[in-house]
Amino acid sequence: MIDIDIDMDLTDGDMNLKQMIPMILPDDSYSPTFDFDISHLPKTLPVLPLRDSIVFPNVAIPVIVGRDRSKNLLRYLETAPNKHILAVTQKDPSEEDPVSVNSVIREGTVAEVLRVMQINDELLTVIIQGKSRAHLDQYTQREPFLRGRYTLLEDERPVIEDIEYQELAKSLLEIMIQILTLRGDAPRPFVDSLKQLQNPEVIINFAANNFPEKLEEKISLLMTKDLKQRGYIAHKLLGIIREQEEIRQQIIQRTRHEMDKQQKEYFLQQQMRVIRKEIDDEEEDEANDLLRRGKDKMWSDAVQENFEKEVKKLQRMAPQSPDYSIQLQYLETLLELPWKEYTEDNFDIRHAQSILDKDHFGLDKVKERILEHLSVLKLKGNLHAPILCLYGPPGVGKTSLGKSIADALGRKYVRISLGGLHDEAEIRGHRRTYIGAMPGRIIKGFLKAGSSNPVFVLDEVDKLGNDYKGDPSSALLEVLDPEQNNTFHDNYLDTDYDLSQALFIATANSVGDIPHALRDRMEMIEVTGYIQEEKVEIAAKHLIPKALTQVGLQEGDIRIPRPTLADIIEDYTRESGVRELDKRINEVIRKVIKEAALANEDNIEEYFPVTIKKSDIKEYLGTPKYSREKYEGNKYAGVVTGLAWTSVGGEILVVESAPSPSKVGKMTITGNLGDVMKESAILALEYLKSHAQLYDIPTEIFDYWNVHIHVPEGAIPKDGPSAGITIVTSLVSTFTQRQVLPNIAMTGEITLRGKVLPVGGIREKILAAKRAGVTTIILCKENKKDIDEIKQEYVEGLNFIYVSDITEVIDHALSKEKVDHPIDLMDRVEKARQKEKEAQHKQNK
């Protein structure tokens, strides 16, 4: 017996697989025959449009019929000698009356009507069996039913002895049985009958008709005339269906296993509770233990009330509930927080000062502010801690200073990095309604410290992000406001926590990147870059001992004298801090240890102690990476030494100007200068033109001479107003050809009236001038206070000239004598005037 497919045209009703199979299978009269003779078929056949079904050759299917034309067709077949029809599929299943040939897919199947059964007054069930593929050419009749002319399509069948063809069919049969077995809803007789199929053509068509779920896939299979190719396509589609069924079964089994496990745990927990009650176990349950621990906490009545309410909520929860562990974690967080638990401050001011001086060289303003706070705290006993913000270039010790402050005060130390933080919940915490909710980083810091008065370092506060998740810098306003942070509200805790006793220290590289509202709440303390002399001391006292300890050597095993350190700093580093210097020192020490290992492999210790000379540096570190400007003398007119501040310290800045003949008189500026510095050059020239008589400069010179101002090292950007008086001095020297006095440098801003204004970075500039061999420095009178703050040993040997007007600068900077081989600027003017007169005379004639 050959099994029949179950498919139907869903006109008015539906039937599932289990309903249809028992109706069809037992009757052997429906078994298909495979010796189909087409010679007796007429040239036209009745056409039965199917909504969403396809009939394949050798396959029988039931179709529910409810449309009038289809019923008329079946009535006609009751008395017709030929029971064959042409079954085609509608393009649009919702179309009620597909009378146009374009409304159906023309590739269909010639099928024989085997039986017609009445379901009710409206619906009929007809069982049809496919015979051969065919193409609907056109309709020849539309009333009372459709009839059309067709062309039979012959399949390309492999020879029956084709082993590949036979194995393909067997594999398809196995997959069909596996799918039905996985689904588990097919009747056993149906599966047994399926196993009896042997004809490869029947197996392929049966698989193509019944198992692909999409109508487009079935249509594609019907249009494939090569039977073996049709089998391969069906094999691929059925393989996907089998994998989907296997995954579905795995999901069902896994879900059932989890449910069984939870039910088992619940049952065992209920048994344990009953057993504890029966034997009167003295051990307290979890909720009572939480309440007992809560009585020892020094929190407010409001927090105590909230805690007890949350414990009662925990008691009402089933232990196996996911919310139970979330609630328990929240209560544990409340208990672990150090409510009003403080470490005792060490009020020994001298001890604190020694700790700060030992760990960090310089940074006098920061140390002074910490000692002031500690002194007031010692006097009063209780004081809201200040909010300090240390800003300055990288590598100057801002972050490590927080650890030293904690050691000096005897407090716990906590540090969190805010660089790149862009989620407000990282500061305020997540609300407990979210899965995986947790406190913010501030509360986590106090949990980690175990006290309510730690030294809390907020690193890189200028690098906070901002996106759709909120603005974390705004969330920090409450943390860093001394008037608000005693009632800091974390979303996870949902209650206030006092942060006011913690000493918050924020660090930043750029003040401009900190939001104004946040900057206004902090006490800004600048941590400037180290000068060379300070770097030498830091390397000798801190970096070298640390580097020797890291490699297992004792202090003094490798000695790097201060002159050698100065050369390393000047030739191999260019930074404000000491990170690069630390790397270079470590590199030198590694090279020395390597030499020791090569010289004496058996006992390296005998190689030490070693002293690194200045002449050895090039061998260890290679060719110097950086070169600093040196004072170049005063041989030429227009060459003046200025002073500049950079992020890596002070530098000397040489300004050059030179004249060139011209008919218009213009100024050219080169040297990669910024807008401010270009404006200083324009201002200097305009001042000189308007005050030329003060310096005995004929005004005609400006009409017949161009001036070119250049600042060397053109690849390095330069900007700022500090070179104003330097440019004026250079121009005066150029137009008067007066000699610049030797070993002199200057810095200051100018106005159009010739006033000299103060500038910043004086300490770094002064020490750069001293290193370059300058002995006399000209600067604004208002910068005298900056000179007074510099240690005396750093300015020893320097002569300072304080000025308020540019005329004073010229008097102190330029000699009355001309330079060697001066340019006669007026000679060019006279010759040009003579030519103009001659030309005018010729024109008049």
Side-chain angles (χ1 to χ4, degrees):
M1 180 175 68
I2 304 301
D3 295 313
I4 323 169
D5 176 62
I6 306 303
D7 204 347
M8 58 206 76
D9 181 21
L10 301 179
T11 303
D12 297 300
D14 193 0
M15 278 190 189
N16 60 34
L17 189 66
K18 292 182 178 179
Q19 291 174 323
M20 294 301 298
I21 289 176
M23 184 195 313
I24 301 172
L25 276 175
D27 196 336
D28 291 337
S29 63
Y30 305 146
S31 301
T33 59
F34 309 113
D35 53 351
F36 175 50
D37 184 9
I38 64 173
S39 60
H40 65 283
L41 290 177
K43 293 183 179 180
T44 63
L45 285 175
V47 178
L48 178 63
L50 305 177
R51 287 186 188 270
D52 53 6
S53 298
I54 291 181
V55 185
F56 277 76
N58 316 120
V59 178
I61 68 168
V63 178
I64 297 177
V65 174
R67 290 187 284 213
D68 291 339
R69 278 194 175 85
S70 300
K71 291 178 181 179
N72 293 337
L73 185 152
L74 295 177
R75 293 190 191 100
Y76 163 75
L77 290 179
E78 289 178 359
T79 58
N82 192 310
K83 305 294 185 182
H84 289 85
I85 62 171
L86 179 58
V88 294
T89 305
Q90 294 178 205
K91 292 181 179 178
D92 183 5
S94 63
E95 187 175 352
E96 288 298 329
D97 196 12
V99 295
S100 170
V101 72
N102 293 324
S103 298
V104 298
I105 299 170
R106 295 196 180 191
E107 282 73 12
T109 306
V110 173
E112 182 181 1
V113 176
L114 300 180
R115 176 180 290 184
V116 179
M117 296 173 289
Q118 188 80 31
I119 297 178
N120 53 39
D121 294 339
E122 299 294 331
L123 300 177
L124 298 173
T125 297
V126 57
I127 298 173
I128 60 177
Q129 178 180 323
K131 296 295 184 179
S132 174
R133 295 189 309 115
H135 180 272
L136 173 61
D137 297 330
Q138 64 182 26
Y139 284 143
T140 58
Q141 170 187 315
R142 287 180 172 80
E143 298 295 343
F145 56 85
L146 297 173
R147 179 184 286 275
R149 185 176 290 112
Y150 64 94
T151 302
L152 290 175
L153 302 175
E154 185 177 355
D155 286 336
E156 296 179 3
R157 295 178 175 83
V159 295
I160 198 66
E161 292 83 7
D162 190 335
I163 302 298
E164 181 182 355
Y165 180 47
Q166 293 179 356
E167 293 301 322
L168 174 62
K170 290 180 182 179
S171 179
L172 264 175
L173 187 61
E174 290 177 2
I175 293 177
M176 286 189 285
I177 294 171
Q178 290 172 1
I179 293 172
L180 293 173
T181 303
L182 287 169
R183 288 176 176 172
D185 56 355
R188 183 69 183 178
F190 180 76
V191 179
D192 292 340
S193 300
L194 187 62
K195 292 179 180 178
Q196 304 301 318
L197 291 179
Q198 295 182 355
N199 189 303
E201 183 176 348
V202 174
I203 295 172
I204 291 172
N205 286 330
F206 185 88
N209 193 93
N210 287 279
F211 286 90
E213 298 177 358
K214 297 180 181 178
L215 188 63
E216 295 82 0
E217 295 174 348
K218 293 185 178 183
I219 294 170
S220 176
L221 287 166
L222 184 64
M223 291 181 178
T224 304
K225 65 179 182 178
D226 188 332
L227 202 58
K228 185 188 290 188
Q229 182 65 22
R230 188 186 302 167
Y232 275 116
I233 297 173
H235 193 282
K236 179 180 178 181
L237 294 174
L238 265 65
I240 295 173
I241 295 172
R242 179 180 59 184
E243 291 179 3
Q244 292 173 343
E245 287 296 327
E246 289 175 347
I247 293 171
R248 187 174 69 88
Q249 292 299 324
Q250 290 174 4
I251 293 172
I252 291 172
Q253 292 296 327
R254 190 179 298 122
T255 306
R256 182 179 299 147
H257 173 72
E258 291 296 330
M259 290 298 294
D260 292 345
K261 182 180 179 182
Q262 286 185 7
Q263 291 171 355
K264 181 180 178 182
E265 289 178 354
Y266 176 74
F267 177 72
L268 292 174
Q269 287 172 355
Q270 292 301 320
Q271 281 189 328
M272 290 174 63
R273 286 190 173 185
V274 173
I275 292 171
R276 283 182 176 178
K277 288 182 180 179
E278 289 293 331
I279 64 175
D280 193 21
D281 192 351
E282 294 181 356
E283 183 182 350
E284 295 179 336
D285 61 16
E286 205 156 29
N288 289 334
D289 182 57
L290 292 172
L291 290 171
R292 178 183 55 79
R293 291 165 59 192
K295 291 179 181 179
D296 298 331
K297 303 302 290 185
M298 293 181 291
W299 48 32
S300 65
D301 294 338
V303 179
Q304 177 68 31
E305 182 181 349
N306 177 67
F307 177 75
E308 292 175 355
K309 182 181 70 174
E310 296 295 337
V311 172
K312 289 178 181 178
K313 189 184 297 184
L314 180 74
Q315 289 175 316
R316 293 193 297 268
M317 293 179 179
Q320 70 277 5
S321 169
D323 292 334
Y324 184 87
S325 60
I326 295 174
Q327 184 71 4
L328 181 60
Q329 181 184 358
Y330 169 70
L331 293 170
E332 289 287 353
T333 302
L334 284 178
L335 290 170
E336 290 173 8
L337 269 174
W339 300 88
K340 297 182 180 178
E341 297 176 17
Y342 307 113
T343 55
E344 185 177 353
D345 286 325
N346 184 351
F347 292 116
D348 189 340
I349 307 300
R350 289 189 176 85
H351 169 75
Q353 186 169 11
S354 65
I355 291 289
L356 294 174
D357 290 339
K358 174 185 175 185
D359 293 344
H360 289 82
F361 186 86
L363 307 180
D364 297 330
K365 289 184 179 179
V366 187
K367 295 175 183 177
E368 183 180 356
R369 182 64 185 85
I370 297 302
L371 294 176
E372 288 172 2
H373 171 70
L374 190 57
S375 301
V376 176
L377 191 64
K378 181 178 182 180
L379 175 65
K380 186 179 179 183
N382 183 21
L383 180 70
H384 283 191
I387 312 294
L388 306 180
C389 180
L390 310 180
Y391 68 94
V396 295
K398 300 185 298 295
T399 304
S400 59
L401 187 64
K403 185 70 171 65
S404 300
I405 293 172
D407 292 340
L409 298 176
R411 294 189 179 189
K412 298 294 182 67
Y413 170 73
V414 181
R415 172 189 166 273
I416 62 173
S417 177
L418 301 178
L421 194 71
H422 53 79
D423 188 355
E424 181 185 344
E426 291 285 345
I427 304 296
R428 290 190 179 275
H430 304 78
R431 299 190 185 279
R432 280 183 291 150
T433 52
Y434 296 101
I435 295 175
M438 61 181 68
R441 293 197 183 187
I442 302 299
I443 294 299
K444 282 184 180 178
F446 283 87
L447 286 168
K448 178 182 177 182
S451 72
S452 291
N453 64 336
V455 173
F456 209 118
V457 175
L458 301 172
D459 216 2
E460 311 291 356
V461 73
D462 58 327
K463 296 178 178 61
L464 283 168
N466 186 359
D467 65 4
Y468 68 94
K469 297 179 182 178
D471 183 4
S473 64
S474 299
L476 275 178
L477 294 178
E478 185 181 3
V479 177
L480 299 181
D481 190 342
E483 300 299 324
Q484 300 180 41
N485 63 7
N486 59 333
T487 55
F488 174 70
H489 189 88
D490 184 273
N491 291 327
Y492 180 80
L493 294 183
D494 201 22
T495 187
D496 294 338
Y497 189 81
D498 185 6
L499 310 181
S500 62
Q501 300 304 314
L503 176 56
F504 285 98
I505 299 177
T507 71
N509 296 132
S510 173
V511 179
D513 294 331
I514 305 175
H516 177 74
L518 188 60
R519 188 167 68 246
D520 186 56
R521 285 163 167 78
M522 299 185 291
E523 184 176 340
M524 309 300 292
I525 299 178
E526 183 180 9
V527 183
T528 58
Y530 296 113
I531 59 177
Q532 178 173 313
E533 288 76 5
E534 290 175 333
K535 290 181 182 180
V536 169
E537 294 300 320
I538 292 171
K541 296 179 179 179
H542 300 283
L543 301 183
I544 295 176
K546 183 185 74 172
L548 292 174
T549 303
Q550 288 176 347
V551 297
L553 294 176
Q554 300 294 324
E555 187 172 351
D557 285 346
I558 297 179
R559 302 188 187 96
I560 307 180
R562 281 171 170 74
T564 306
L565 287 172
D567 279 5
I568 295 176
I569 294 167
E570 186 169 338
D571 296 337
Y572 297 92
T573 68
R574 180 162 286 184
E575 57 177 345
S576 297
V578 291
R579 284 180 182 158
E580 189 69 21
L581 175 59
D582 189 30
K583 295 175 185 176
R584 301 287 77 81
I585 289 172
N586 278 277
E587 185 177 353
V588 170
I589 290 174
R590 290 196 304 270
K591 296 284 178 62
V592 173
I593 293 175
K594 177 185 172 185
E595 285 184 355
L598 293 173
N600 191 346
E601 295 184 1
D602 297 331
N603 194 354
I604 299 179
E605 289 79 4
E606 293 181 356
Y607 190 81
F608 302 105
V610 176
T611 299
I612 308 301
K613 301 176 183 177
K614 295 175 66 173
S615 57
D616 299 330
I617 294 301
K618 189 173 182 179
E619 178 185 351
Y620 294 130
L621 298 180
T623 304
K625 296 181 180 180
Y626 306 104
S627 61
R628 297 187 181 271
E629 287 284 346
K630 299 294 184 184
Y631 178 73
E632 297 183 357
N634 59 342
K635 292 169 124 184
Y636 305 97
V639 180
V640 183
T641 303
L643 299 174
W645 180 92
T646 68
S647 61
V648 295
E651 296 279 355
I652 67 168
L653 194 72
V654 177
V655 176
E656 304 174 343
S657 61
S660 61
S662 171
K663 293 182 179 180
V664 291
K666 63 179 182 178
M667 178 174 65
T668 305
I669 307 170
T670 57
N672 199 355
L673 308 184
D675 292 339
V676 176
M677 202 163 179
K678 288 179 181 177
E679 289 174 0
S680 293
I682 296 171
L683 185 65
L685 183 59
E686 292 302 319
Y687 165 79
L688 196 57
K689 286 180 178 180
S690 62
H691 297 82
Q693 71 278 7
L694 291 177
Y695 309 105
D696 296 328
I697 302 175
T699 55
E700 297 89 345
I701 288 179
F702 300 110
D703 297 327
Y704 294 96
W705 288 90
N706 289 338
V707 62
H708 186 149
I709 300 175
H710 177 68
V711 182
E713 293 192 52
I716 299 175
K718 312 167 195 71
D719 202 6
S722 300
I725 65 173
T726 310
I727 296 174
V728 173
T729 306
S730 175
L731 291 175
V732 173
S733 174
T734 296
F735 286 114
T736 63
Q737 293 295 293
R738 290 168 62 183
Q739 194 176 51
V740 180
L741 292 174
N743 300 316
I744 196 167
M746 60 191 70
T747 182
E749 184 179 357
I750 62 163
T751 69
L752 197 56
R753 295 172 296 151
K755 298 297 180 183
V756 180
L757 302 180
V759 292
I762 294 298
R763 188 181 68 150
E764 289 80 4
K765 292 177 180 179
I766 297 306
L767 293 166
K770 186 177 181 181
R771 288 195 300 270
V774 172
T775 57
T776 302
I777 298 175
I778 301 175
L779 65 166
C780 179
K781 284 182 178 179
E782 294 183 33
N783 282 127
K784 187 176 185 304
K785 62 181 184 301
D786 300 301
I787 301 297
D788 294 338
E789 291 181 359
I790 303 175
K791 292 182 180 180
Q792 187 60 36
E793 58 264 29
Y794 294 159
V795 297
E796 188 176 347
L798 294 177
N799 178 36
F800 296 100
I801 300 175
Y802 302 104
V803 297
S804 58
D805 192 89
I806 190 65
T807 55
E808 299 177 54
V809 177
I810 301 302
D811 291 341
H812 288 97
L814 297 184
S815 169
K816 299 296 182 181
E817 300 177 4
K818 302 278 187 178
V819 295
D820 296 338
H821 312 293
I823 301 173
D824 190 348
L825 299 178
M826 285 304 299
D827 181 60
R828 155 71 182 166
V829 173
E830 293 297 334
K831 289 180 180 179
R833 281 179 174 176
Q834 185 64 33
K835 288 183 179 179
E836 289 176 358
K837 288 180 181 179
E838 292 175 357
Q840 184 65 35
H841 182 67
K842 288 181 181 180
Q843 185 176 0
N844 293 336
K845 283 185 178 182

